[in-house]
Amino acid sequence: MPPKKKKEVEKPPLILGRLGTSLKIGIVGLPNVGKSTFFNVLTKSEASAENFPFCTIDPNESRVPVPDERWEFLCKYHKPASKVPAFLSVVDIAGLVKGANEGQGLGNAFLSHISGCDAIFHMTRAFDDAEVVHVEGDVNPVRDLEIIQEELRLKDVEHLTKRLAELEKVYSRGGEKKYKLEFETLSKIKTLLVDEKKPVRDGEWGGKEIEVLNEHLFLTSKPQIYLVNLSEKDYIRKKNKWLMKIKTWVTENDSSAILIPFSGAFELKLAEMADDAERKAYLEEQYKDSVGSALSKIVVTGFKCLGLQYFFTAGADEVKAWTIKTGFLAPQAAGRIHTDFEKGFIMAEVMKFSDFKELGSESAVKSAGKYRQQGRNYIVEDGDIIFFKFNTPSQPKKK
């Protein structure tokens, strides 16, 4: 009888962007659009938020807990000694100005800070305030969006042109075939970036092309979430003369992106209150709960924009959300806990959170036949509750 063929483990699809789970999202925009105020509220820190351009020079970075009712439920249920949520790493990057790609303002340094991030909170200002200087002289968020996008595109063109010139020597004239794929991929990017003046993320890329793109990590390949900073008054009444114009621009120029209106002034007012109880009472009394903070939505959207999700391990000792890339297989997820879990992976025992909450206990989930044993090819889903079984890898014998 012929031996059984070893079942191949499926490989997850290639993803545009850096690999791994230690990914960051940067807050980008012109000076004085509210980036540092937003960062301070988001992270409850005190980054400089002065009213003049370039007050943030070195990027401030902080980890923000990702709000999740499922994690809170598991903590209340298990009452663990240790509670660890998922975190979003956020970077406050100084304001870009027109000409940044040529070094205007502190352009080159700021663009390199964006290069170190994996997605962008693109913030634009839609509020008038005579006391807050606008670097372009007046408030026009659509123009501001175009300035930032053009600076990122021009920086990519600079990098692309330099690399294509190098490839021209070694591939086109030198005939070194190993550069064929890179040359062809970058030539395709040139058509998009230079001829059509579109961002890299607008292109359609195959698996091999994505490998090339991930070596270069173009600024315009990074996904963006558009944050529109409104006055407190406009946010509460849900009206602003610029909102439809901004939405139209985003639809035309970055159709898959998400747009989130918020108010830095309103969020700051809530942040300065003593605790959640005071905030809740204020919102109920003033607005009958018709208005609320947009921060949770922004953080969750930012986390998903990075292509991240998490699974839970839960018990009396600890409830923890383990961050993984979307599409991770069970052994890869196990490796987030410890490399030995991945090397010696046997199986993943999985409960869906919805089943656990509905049925009330692990034993009830098992009795209902919804406690699954999954193998190497199982693609972990967001919010899975998992217990991994593994063999401890044998230690090499001492000589």
Side-chain angles (χ1 to χ4, degrees), residues 312-356:
F312 299 110
T313 53
D317 293 332
E318 182 179 68
V319 169
K320 183 167 181 173
W322 296 89
T323 299
I324 57 173
K325 272 280 198 182
T326 301
F328 258 28
L329 299 174
Q332 292 175 295
R336 288 288 293 129
I337 300 175
H338 196 286
T339 53
D340 285 354
F341 281 37
E342 182 172 5
K343 290 172 186 172
F345 179 87
I346 299 173
M347 71 173 70
E349 297 186 343
V350 182
M351 284 188 288
K352 299 300 173 191
F353 172 81
S354 55
D355 292 334
F356 180 77

Short mmCIF file of all heavy atoms in Angstrom, two decimals, residues 312-356:
data_model
loop_
_atom_site.label_atom_id
_atom_site.label_comp_id
_atom_site.label_asym_id
_atom_site.label_seq_id
_atom_site.Cartn_x
_atom_site.Cartn_y
_atom_site.Cartn_z
N PHE A 312 -8.87 35.26 21.73
CA PHE A 312 -8.79 35.35 23.19
C PHE A 312 -8.29 34.04 23.80
O PHE A 312 -8.62 32.95 23.32
CB PHE A 312 -10.17 35.64 23.80
CG PHE A 312 -10.79 36.93 23.36
CD1 PHE A 312 -11.91 36.94 22.53
CD2 PHE A 312 -10.27 38.15 23.78
CE1 PHE A 312 -12.50 38.12 22.13
CE2 PHE A 312 -10.85 39.35 23.38
CZ PHE A 312 -11.96 39.33 22.55
N THR A 313 -7.49 34.17 24.85
CA THR A 313 -7.31 33.08 25.80
C THR A 313 -7.95 33.58 27.08
O THR A 313 -7.77 34.74 27.46
CB THR A 313 -5.82 32.74 26.02
OG1 THR A 313 -5.09 33.93 26.38
CG2 THR A 313 -5.21 32.14 24.76
N ALA A 314 -8.72 32.72 27.73
CA ALA A 314 -9.52 33.21 28.86
C ALA A 314 -9.61 32.16 29.96
O ALA A 314 -9.87 30.99 29.70
CB ALA A 314 -10.93 33.57 28.37
N GLY A 315 -9.37 32.63 31.19
CA GLY A 315 -9.48 31.77 32.36
C GLY A 315 -9.34 32.59 33.62
O GLY A 315 -9.28 33.83 33.57
N ALA A 316 -9.26 31.92 34.76
CA ALA A 316 -9.19 32.63 36.04
C ALA A 316 -7.87 33.39 36.20
O ALA A 316 -7.81 34.40 36.90
CB ALA A 316 -9.36 31.63 37.19
N ASP A 317 -6.80 32.89 35.58
CA ASP A 317 -5.50 33.57 35.71
C ASP A 317 -5.42 34.81 34.83
O ASP A 317 -4.91 35.84 35.27
CB ASP A 317 -4.35 32.62 35.33
CG ASP A 317 -4.20 31.47 36.31
OD1 ASP A 317 -4.57 31.67 37.48
OD2 ASP A 317 -3.73 30.40 35.91
N GLU A 318 -5.91 34.70 33.60
CA GLU A 318 -5.74 35.81 32.66
C GLU A 318 -6.78 35.76 31.55
O GLU A 318 -7.15 34.69 31.06
CB GLU A 318 -4.34 35.75 32.05
CG GLU A 318 -4.03 36.88 31.08
CD GLU A 318 -2.62 36.79 30.52
OE1 GLU A 318 -2.34 35.85 29.74
OE2 GLU A 318 -1.80 37.66 30.87
N VAL A 319 -7.26 36.93 31.17
CA VAL A 319 -8.01 37.11 29.93
C VAL A 319 -7.16 38.01 29.04
O VAL A 319 -6.83 39.12 29.43
CB VAL A 319 -9.40 37.75 30.17
CG1 VAL A 319 -10.04 38.16 28.84
CG2 VAL A 319 -10.31 36.79 30.91
N LYS A 320 -6.80 37.48 27.87
CA LYS A 320 -5.89 38.24 27.01
C LYS A 320 -6.34 38.19 25.56
O LYS A 320 -6.76 37.14 25.06
CB LYS A 320 -4.46 37.70 27.13
CG LYS A 320 -3.43 38.50 26.32
CD LYS A 320 -2.01 38.16 26.70
CE LYS A 320 -1.01 38.98 25.91
NZ LYS A 320 0.39 38.80 26.37
N ALA A 321 -6.26 39.35 24.89
CA ALA A 321 -6.50 39.42 23.44
C ALA A 321 -5.14 39.37 22.75
O ALA A 321 -4.28 40.21 22.99
CB ALA A 321 -7.22 40.73 23.10
N TRP A 322 -4.94 38.37 21.90
CA TRP A 322 -3.67 38.16 21.20
C TRP A 322 -3.80 38.67 19.76
O TRP A 322 -4.60 38.17 18.98
CB TRP A 322 -3.30 36.68 21.18
CG TRP A 322 -3.06 36.10 22.54
CD1 TRP A 322 -3.99 35.53 23.36
CD2 TRP A 322 -1.81 36.02 23.23
NE1 TRP A 322 -3.40 35.11 24.53
CE2 TRP A 322 -2.05 35.40 24.47
CE3 TRP A 322 -0.50 36.41 22.91
CZ2 TRP A 322 -1.05 35.15 25.41
CZ3 TRP A 322 0.51 36.18 23.84
CH2 TRP A 322 0.23 35.56 25.06
N THR A 323 -3.01 39.68 19.44
CA THR A 323 -3.09 40.29 18.12
C THR A 323 -2.43 39.42 17.05
O THR A 323 -1.30 38.96 17.23
CB THR A 323 -2.42 41.68 18.13
OG1 THR A 323 -3.12 42.51 19.06
CG2 THR A 323 -2.47 42.32 16.75
N ILE A 324 -3.15 39.21 15.94
CA ILE A 324 -2.62 38.45 14.81
C ILE A 324 -3.02 39.15 13.52
O ILE A 324 -3.90 40.02 13.52
CB ILE A 324 -3.15 36.99 14.78
CG1 ILE A 324 -4.69 36.98 14.73
CG2 ILE A 324 -2.64 36.20 15.96
CD1 ILE A 324 -5.31 35.61 14.52
N LYS A 325 -2.37 38.78 12.43
CA LYS A 325 -2.77 39.26 11.11
C LYS A 325 -4.03 38.51 10.67
O LYS A 325 -4.16 37.31 10.91
CB LYS A 325 -1.66 39.00 10.09
CG LYS A 325 -0.64 40.13 10.00
CD LYS A 325 -1.18 41.26 9.15
CE LYS A 325 -0.08 42.18 8.67
NZ LYS A 325 -0.62 43.31 7.89
N THR A 326 -4.96 39.20 10.02
CA THR A 326 -6.12 38.54 9.44
C THR A 326 -5.64 37.47 8.46
O THR A 326 -4.75 37.72 7.65
CB THR A 326 -7.00 39.57 8.71
OG1 THR A 326 -7.41 40.57 9.64
CG2 THR A 326 -8.23 38.91 8.11
N GLY A 327 -6.19 36.27 8.57
CA GLY A 327 -5.78 35.18 7.69
C GLY A 327 -4.76 34.24 8.31
O GLY A 327 -4.37 33.25 7.69
N PHE A 328 -4.34 34.52 9.56
CA PHE A 328 -3.38 33.63 10.23
C PHE A 328 -3.99 32.23 10.39
O PHE A 328 -5.16 32.08 10.75
CB PHE A 328 -3.05 34.17 11.62
CG PHE A 328 -1.71 34.88 11.70
CD1 PHE A 328 -1.15 35.51 10.60
CD2 PHE A 328 -1.00 34.91 12.90
CE1 PHE A 328 0.07 36.16 10.68
CE2 PHE A 328 0.22 35.56 12.99
CZ PHE A 328 0.75 36.18 11.88
N LEU A 329 -3.16 31.21 10.16
CA LEU A 329 -3.56 29.84 10.44
C LEU A 329 -3.33 29.55 11.93
O LEU A 329 -2.58 30.25 12.60
CB LEU A 329 -2.75 28.87 9.58
CG LEU A 329 -2.91 29.04 8.06
CD1 LEU A 329 -1.94 28.12 7.33
CD2 LEU A 329 -4.34 28.76 7.63
N ALA A 330 -3.99 28.49 12.41
CA ALA A 330 -3.93 28.16 13.85
C ALA A 330 -2.50 28.05 14.40
O ALA A 330 -2.21 28.60 15.46
CB ALA A 330 -4.72 26.89 14.12
N PRO A 331 -1.55 27.37 13.70
CA PRO A 331 -0.19 27.29 14.25
C PRO A 331 0.49 28.66 14.36
O PRO A 331 1.23 28.91 15.31
CB PRO A 331 0.55 26.39 13.25
CG PRO A 331 -0.52 25.60 12.58
CD PRO A 331 -1.69 26.51 12.51
N GLN A 332 0.23 29.55 13.38
CA GLN A 332 0.80 30.90 13.44
C GLN A 332 0.25 31.66 14.65
O GLN A 332 0.98 32.37 15.34
CB GLN A 332 0.47 31.68 12.17
CG GLN A 332 1.16 31.17 10.92
CD GLN A 332 0.67 31.93 9.70
OE1 GLN A 332 -0.50 31.85 9.32
NE2 GLN A 332 1.56 32.68 9.08
N ALA A 333 -1.04 31.51 14.88
CA ALA A 333 -1.67 32.17 16.04
C ALA A 333 -1.08 31.62 17.33
O ALA A 333 -0.80 32.37 18.27
CB ALA A 333 -3.19 31.96 16.00
N ALA A 334 -0.88 30.31 17.38
CA ALA A 334 -0.29 29.68 18.57
C ALA A 334 1.11 30.24 18.83
O ALA A 334 1.52 30.45 19.97
CB ALA A 334 -0.23 28.17 18.39
N GLY A 335 1.83 30.52 17.74
CA GLY A 335 3.18 31.06 17.86
C GLY A 335 3.23 32.44 18.47
O GLY A 335 4.28 32.88 18.95
N ARG A 336 2.10 33.16 18.48
CA ARG A 336 2.05 34.48 19.14
C ARG A 336 2.19 34.32 20.65
O ARG A 336 2.68 35.21 21.33
CB ARG A 336 0.73 35.19 18.81
CG ARG A 336 0.63 35.70 17.40
CD ARG A 336 1.51 36.92 17.15
NE ARG A 336 1.05 38.07 17.92
CZ ARG A 336 1.81 38.81 18.71
NH1 ARG A 336 3.07 38.52 18.88
NH2 ARG A 336 1.30 39.85 19.35
N ILE A 337 1.72 33.18 21.19
CA ILE A 337 1.83 32.93 22.63
C ILE A 337 3.25 32.49 22.97
O ILE A 337 3.88 33.01 23.88
CB ILE A 337 0.79 31.87 23.08
CG1 ILE A 337 -0.63 32.36 22.76
CG2 ILE A 337 0.94 31.56 24.56
CD1 ILE A 337 -1.72 31.34 23.04
N HIS A 338 3.75 31.52 22.19
CA HIS A 338 5.14 31.05 22.38
C HIS A 338 5.55 30.29 21.13
O HIS A 338 4.73 29.56 20.54
CB HIS A 338 5.23 30.14 23.62
CG HIS A 338 6.63 29.94 24.11
ND1 HIS A 338 7.54 29.14 23.45
CD2 HIS A 338 7.29 30.46 25.18
CE1 HIS A 338 8.70 29.16 24.11
NE2 HIS A 338 8.57 29.95 25.16
N THR A 339 6.79 30.42 20.74
CA THR A 339 7.26 29.72 19.53
C THR A 339 7.11 28.21 19.67
O THR A 339 6.87 27.52 18.68
CB THR A 339 8.73 30.07 19.23
OG1 THR A 339 9.52 29.83 20.40
CG2 THR A 339 8.88 31.52 18.81
N ASP A 340 7.24 27.68 20.89
CA ASP A 340 7.06 26.23 21.11
C ASP A 340 5.65 25.77 20.75
O ASP A 340 5.45 24.64 20.31
CB ASP A 340 7.36 25.86 22.56
CG ASP A 340 8.86 25.85 22.87
OD1 ASP A 340 9.65 26.03 21.92
OD2 ASP A 340 9.22 25.68 24.04
N PHE A 341 4.67 26.66 20.95
CA PHE A 341 3.27 26.32 20.62
C PHE A 341 3.13 26.08 19.12
O PHE A 341 2.36 25.23 18.69
CB PHE A 341 2.33 27.45 21.05
CG PHE A 341 2.00 27.49 22.52
CD1 PHE A 341 2.94 27.16 23.48
CD2 PHE A 341 0.73 27.85 22.95
CE1 PHE A 341 2.64 27.20 24.83
CE2 PHE A 341 0.41 27.89 24.31
CZ PHE A 341 1.38 27.56 25.24
N GLU A 342 3.87 26.87 18.34
CA GLU A 342 3.78 26.72 16.88
C GLU A 342 4.58 25.50 16.41
O GLU A 342 4.10 24.71 15.60
CB GLU A 342 4.32 27.98 16.19
CG GLU A 342 4.21 27.92 14.68
CD GLU A 342 4.56 29.25 14.00
OE1 GLU A 342 4.97 30.20 14.70
OE2 GLU A 342 4.43 29.32 12.77
N LYS A 343 5.78 25.35 16.95
CA LYS A 343 6.64 24.22 16.54
C LYS A 343 6.01 22.87 16.88
O LYS A 343 6.08 21.93 16.10
CB LYS A 343 8.01 24.34 17.21
CG LYS A 343 8.87 25.48 16.69
CD LYS A 343 10.12 25.63 17.54
CE LYS A 343 10.94 26.85 17.14
NZ LYS A 343 12.06 27.10 18.09
N GLY A 344 5.40 22.77 18.06
CA GLY A 344 4.84 21.50 18.49
C GLY A 344 3.33 21.43 18.37
O GLY A 344 2.68 20.62 19.05
N PHE A 345 2.74 22.26 17.52
CA PHE A 345 1.27 22.37 17.40
C PHE A 345 0.61 21.01 17.16
O PHE A 345 1.02 20.26 16.28
CB PHE A 345 0.92 23.33 16.27
CG PHE A 345 -0.55 23.50 16.03
CD1 PHE A 345 -1.28 24.45 16.74
CD2 PHE A 345 -1.23 22.69 15.11
CE1 PHE A 345 -2.64 24.60 16.52
CE2 PHE A 345 -2.60 22.84 14.89
CZ PHE A 345 -3.29 23.80 15.60
N ILE A 346 -0.41 20.71 17.96
CA ILE A 346 -1.22 19.50 17.75
C ILE A 346 -2.60 19.91 17.25
O ILE A 346 -3.05 19.47 16.19
CB ILE A 346 -1.36 18.68 19.05
CG1 ILE A 346 0.01 18.21 19.54
CG2 ILE A 346 -2.30 17.50 18.84
CD1 ILE A 346 -0.03 17.55 20.91
N MET A 347 -3.27 20.76 18.00
CA MET A 347 -4.61 21.22 17.59
C MET A 347 -4.98 22.49 18.35
O MET A 347 -4.34 22.85 19.35
CB MET A 347 -5.66 20.13 17.86
CG MET A 347 -5.95 19.93 19.34
SD MET A 347 -7.33 18.81 19.67
CE MET A 347 -6.65 17.23 19.18
N ALA A 348 -6.04 23.13 17.86
CA ALA A 348 -6.61 24.28 18.55
C ALA A 348 -8.04 23.92 18.94
O ALA A 348 -8.83 23.49 18.10
CB ALA A 348 -6.61 25.50 17.63
N GLU A 349 -8.35 24.05 20.23
CA GLU A 349 -9.72 23.84 20.68
C GLU A 349 -10.39 25.21 20.70
O GLU A 349 -9.96 26.11 21.42
CB GLU A 349 -9.72 23.19 22.06
CG GLU A 349 -9.10 21.80 22.03
CD GLU A 349 -9.20 21.06 23.36
OE1 GLU A 349 -9.45 21.72 24.40
OE2 GLU A 349 -9.01 19.83 23.37
N VAL A 350 -11.44 25.36 19.88
CA VAL A 350 -11.99 26.69 19.59
C VAL A 350 -13.47 26.79 19.98
O VAL A 350 -14.28 25.92 19.66
CB VAL A 350 -11.86 27.00 18.07
CG1 VAL A 350 -12.38 28.40 17.76
CG2 VAL A 350 -10.41 26.83 17.61
N MET A 351 -13.77 27.90 20.67
CA MET A 351 -15.16 28.29 20.92
C MET A 351 -15.41 29.64 20.26
O MET A 351 -14.52 30.51 20.30
CB MET A 351 -15.42 28.50 22.42
CG MET A 351 -15.56 27.28 23.26
SD MET A 351 -16.09 27.76 24.95
CE MET A 351 -14.60 28.52 25.60
N LYS A 352 -16.57 29.81 19.65
CA LYS A 352 -16.96 31.13 19.18
C LYS A 352 -17.47 31.94 20.37
O LYS A 352 -18.21 31.41 21.21
CB LYS A 352 -18.06 31.03 18.11
CG LYS A 352 -17.64 30.26 16.86
CD LYS A 352 -16.45 30.91 16.19
CE LYS A 352 -15.90 30.09 15.05
NZ LYS A 352 -14.61 30.58 14.58
N PHE A 353 -17.08 33.21 20.44
CA PHE A 353 -17.51 34.04 21.56
C PHE A 353 -19.03 34.07 21.67
O PHE A 353 -19.59 33.99 22.77
CB PHE A 353 -16.97 35.47 21.43
CG PHE A 353 -17.53 36.39 22.47
CD1 PHE A 353 -17.01 36.42 23.75
CD2 PHE A 353 -18.64 37.20 22.19
CE1 PHE A 353 -17.57 37.24 24.73
CE2 PHE A 353 -19.20 38.01 23.15
CZ PHE A 353 -18.66 38.04 24.42
N SER A 354 -19.70 34.18 20.52
CA SER A 354 -21.17 34.28 20.54
C SER A 354 -21.80 33.04 21.17
O SER A 354 -22.79 33.14 21.92
CB SER A 354 -21.70 34.47 19.11
OG SER A 354 -21.23 33.43 18.26
N ASP A 355 -21.21 31.87 20.92
CA ASP A 355 -21.72 30.63 21.52
C ASP A 355 -21.49 30.64 23.03
O ASP A 355 -22.36 30.26 23.82
CB ASP A 355 -21.03 29.40 20.91
CG ASP A 355 -21.41 29.20 19.45
OD1 ASP A 355 -22.50 29.64 19.05
OD2 ASP A 355 -20.60 28.61 18.70
N PHE A 356 -20.29 31.08 23.43
CA PHE A 356 -19.95 31.11 24.86
C PHE A 356 -20.89 32.05 25.61
O PHE A 356 -21.41 31.72 26.69
CB PHE A 356 -18.49 31.55 25.03
CG PHE A 356 -18.05 31.63 26.47
CD1 PHE A 356 -17.74 30.48 27.18
CD2 PHE A 356 -17.95 32.87 27.12
CE1 PHE A 356 -17.34 30.55 28.51
CE2 PHE A 356 -17.55 32.94 28.44
CZ PHE A 356 -17.24 31.78 29.14
#
